[in-house]
Amino acid sequence: MRKDIVIAALLLAACGMAQAEVYKWVDANGRVVFSDQPPPGKKVDKIKVYPGGVQVPRQAASAPAAAQGAAGLDADVKALNERIEKHNRDVKAQNCKTAQANLAALDRPGVKAGREDMLKRAREEVQIWCGK
């Protein structure tokens, strides 16, 4: 099997795995904290971040967090959501470039073995990530 076909297959497989996890918890000062690493020994809510949006369950604020004020908490959540959405746009753009490069690598003369299945998958990835 040719080396470029193996590389293209690996890139296609990696393309579909882009997602991030964000952990949410309340610290000792009552502030809501979001991070990509959970703190040891704390109860956390796991939030999965996908290209195209964030799925954040709404919960009632705890007593210390409520003391901070709803406006401050809403501003923190809004700022975090903006950062997450920017990250998701960046990941989607990178995945789009990778999907297009994979399709270009497969859609040229001389690439044979298993080409049709790989081309189909490459076209699907371009559609997913690039909307084309």
Side-chain angles (χ1 to χ4, degrees):
M1 185 179 286
R2 289 182 47 164
K3 184 179 178 180
D4 56 351
I5 293 175
V6 173
I7 292 170
L10 291 173
L11 290 173
L12 283 173
C15 210
M17 293 188 280
Q19 86 176 30
E21 291 182 349
V22 176
Y23 299 90
K24 174 184 158 188
W25 68 93
V26 178
D27 70 8
N29 296 324
R31 293 190 54 124
V32 176
V33 179
F34 295 88
S35 175
D36 61 338
Q37 297 292 320
K42 280 263 191 199
K43 180 182 178 288
V44 299
D45 293 319
K46 191 188 247 185
I47 301 168
K48 288 191 178 184
V49 183
Y50 297 95
V54 181
Q55 299 172 353
V56 180
R58 284 297 262 183
Q59 297 179 2
S62 64
Q68 175 189 358
L73 182 60
D74 286 344
D76 289 346
V77 170
K78 182 178 178 183
L80 178 67
N81 281 337
E82 288 171 359
R83 282 182 37 213
I84 290 170
E85 287 170 8
K86 181 191 179 308
H87 173 75
N88 286 343
R89 284 190 304 272
D90 293 345
V91 167
K92 183 177 179 179
Q94 182 59 46
N95 287 344
C96 176
K97 286 179 186 177
T98 301
Q100 289 173 328
N102 290 342
L103 181 58
L106 289 170
D107 200 14
R108 61 187 167 99
V111 178
K112 294 180 183 160
R115 180 173 180 253
E116 288 307 315
D117 289 340
M118 292 170 67
L119 270 171
K120 179 181 175 194
R121 181 64 183 153
R123 288 185 183 110
E124 290 170 356
E125 290 290 336
V126 169
Q127 174 113 25
I128 290 167
W129 296 110
C130 307
K132 299 178 184 175

